[in-house]
Amino acid sequence: MKILAPQSPAGLAWWVSEPLTCVYGQPRPSHQDSSASLCRTPALGGAVLRPVPDAELELSPEEQRVLERKLKKERKKEERQRLREAGLAAQHPPARRSGAELALDYLCAWAQKHKNWRFQKTRQTWLLLHMYDRDKVPDEHFSTMLAYLEGLQGRARELTVQKAEALMRELDEEDPDPLLPGRVQRIRQVLQLLS
């Protein structure tokens, strides 16, 4: 039975002719010390662990990928350890921006007609879902939002009108809330624009 283990730093891999269980007190090969070239296992009839040069290794592509990932992970871990020992904290990636910030930037880029502006469905969806909320789409951006809605086409336009009508009916049935006049005004503006 042939078992291949990960490559050692000295460019050798270990080949085991039988499953290996080292007995206490016997030399055990390590990745750090390639001088321990043989390890006999008397419990299994004297199976021998010996170094095998890279030329003898026949790894499948999948085994090679797994081995490369393990080695890469080990290198990263060693690098982090070196940084930690040097007293340098690992640099953390910058915090990701929220959906609100990204959507408002998208709207501002559209308004300024940047050459690099392109349609992004997720940003448009966020804007359409939250355009009635003054906290998420401030008043200074709502006029831009209305201009953006003028160019809305197809199913998105139909759904926006349907949602605005449903929200208006819902608000008409409920008791007037002092916090809602701004929301009602926004809904009316959207209905006037799109109807």
Side-chain angles (χ1 to χ4, degrees):
M1 174 171 155
K2 210 177 191 184
I3 298 175
L4 293 174
Q7 212 171 357
S8 70
L12 301 174
W14 297 96
W15 174 77
V16 181
S17 60
E18 299 275 337
L20 177 68
T21 51
C22 283
V23 178
Y24 177 76
Q26 290 190 334
R28 186 172 190 175
S30 70
H31 292 289
Q32 304 302 325
D33 180 22
S34 62
S35 64
S37 59
L38 297 178
C39 179
R40 296 198 178 274
T41 55
L44 296 172
V48 176
L49 181 69
R50 67 178 179 83
V52 178
D54 289 339
E56 289 184 39
L57 288 179
E58 294 182 20
L59 298 175
S60 70
E62 178 62 27
E63 291 171 330
Q64 287 176 345
R65 282 191 296 273
V66 169
L67 183 60
E68 288 170 4
R69 282 185 290 214
K70 285 182 181 179
L71 292 174
K72 182 178 178 183
K73 186 177 179 181
E74 288 176 14
R75 284 192 300 269
K76 282 186 177 182
K77 186 176 179 181
E78 290 170 0
E79 180 65 26
R80 283 193 305 267
Q81 182 66 29
R82 277 196 298 275
L83 288 174
R84 199 175 305 124
E85 289 172 357
L88 302 173
Q91 295 179 357
H92 297 289
R96 294 182 64 177
R97 297 175 62 203
S98 70
E101 292 173 340
L102 293 170
L104 292 175
D105 287 349
Y106 168 81
L107 187 63
C108 291
W110 173 85
Q112 295 171 0
K113 306 293 186 208
H114 283 289
K115 291 179 182 177
N116 60 354
W117 180 88
R118 62 183 179 83
F119 175 74
Q120 295 179 26
K121 181 140 182 87
T122 54
R123 305 290 171 248
Q124 177 177 297
T125 302
W126 190 93
L127 287 168
L128 293 176
L129 287 174
H130 301 286
M131 68 180 163
Y132 304 113
D133 187 348
R134 284 186 167 181
D135 295 332
K136 295 186 179 179
V137 179
D139 289 335
E140 62 264 13
H141 292 290
F142 191 70
S143 60
T144 307
M145 183 69 199
L146 289 173
Y148 181 83
L149 290 176
E150 285 182 46
L152 203 59
Q153 300 174 357
R155 187 78 175 135
R157 187 180 188 101
E158 294 170 14
L159 288 174
T160 303
V161 170
Q162 289 173 1
K163 183 177 178 182
E165 289 172 345
L167 285 171
M168 190 57 100
R169 280 192 300 270
E170 205 176 282
L171 291 174
D172 287 343
E173 293 171 3
E174 294 178 3
D175 293 329
D177 188 353
L179 299 175
L180 292 180
R183 185 179 174 118
V184 172
Q185 180 184 4
R186 284 186 174 199
I187 295 171
R188 285 190 180 133
Q189 287 177 323
V190 169
L191 282 173
Q192 284 176 344
L193 179 71
L194 298 178
S195 298

